[in-house]
Amino acid sequence: MTDVGDDAPTFTASLVTDEIEPFDLSDRLGDEPVVLAFFPAAFSNTCTDEMEALRDGFDRDDCSLFGVSTDLPHALAVYRAQYDLPFALVADPAHRAIEAYDAIESFEHYGVDTVAQRAVFVIDGDGVVTYRWLADDAGQEPDYDALAEAVAEAAV
């Protein structure tokens, strides 16, 4: 399990902004803190609440924020547009990211076996994990104040 003090595992996936393109986490490390906000499923209630909280009440000026889920890239593109999310989403249908961070949730609803566990990791400019939060259940949102504090500390 990836923990505070570990080198951040890198992975490849698809980056969803106004376009869809390849994503390699290693290309994003080094300048400012990176926040990986893993969420189980686009369009679900708690996930949307979380993404809206990160959109509306979280200062993203000092970090690169990526929402990460196992949804397909085109679904995340629609989700991002519908909820006017100003940060990129990472589509991880091959489970590379959730496996690298051990943020795996068993989910046997709707014929889907595995989704991302709701989790947040902050990675500093040296590529070291400085903050880790894992939800006890899928309905729990992160402590946004603690996350902001972790980003501020990682930016120093």
Side-chain angles (χ1 to χ4, degrees), residues 5-6 31-32 48 58 60 65 81 86 96 117 128 138 151 153:
D6 293 346
D31 292 330
E32 61 186 359
T48 299
F58 179 71
R60 298 176 307 279
L65 170 65
R96 290 184 197 108
Q117 178 180 11
V128 174
V151 169
E153 289 175 7

Side-chain angles (χ1 to χ4, degrees), residues 8-20:
T10 59
F11 59 88
T12 58
S14 297
L15 182 69
V16 179
T17 56
D18 293 335
E19 299 178 14
I20 298 171

Side-chain angles (χ1 to χ4, degrees), residues 48-110:
T48 299
D49 290 347
E50 178 185 12
M51 293 300 111
E52 288 177 329
L54 292 170
R55 177 194 68 198
D56 298 338
F58 179 71
D59 183 2
R60 298 176 307 279
D61 290 342
D62 295 326
C63 69
S64 294
L65 170 65
F66 300 99
V68 183
S69 85
T70 58
D71 292 300
L72 292 172
H74 289 91
L76 287 180
V78 172
Y79 180 67
R80 185 175 178 271
Q82 181 172 331
Y83 291 98
D84 196 26
L85 301 177
F87 49 88
L89 300 178
V90 175
D92 183 37
H95 300 170
R96 290 184 197 108
I98 67 171
E99 289 174 2
Y101 284 81
D102 198 24
I104 301 168
E105 187 74 36
S106 176
F107 187 82
E108 297 177 5
H109 297 66
Y110 314 118

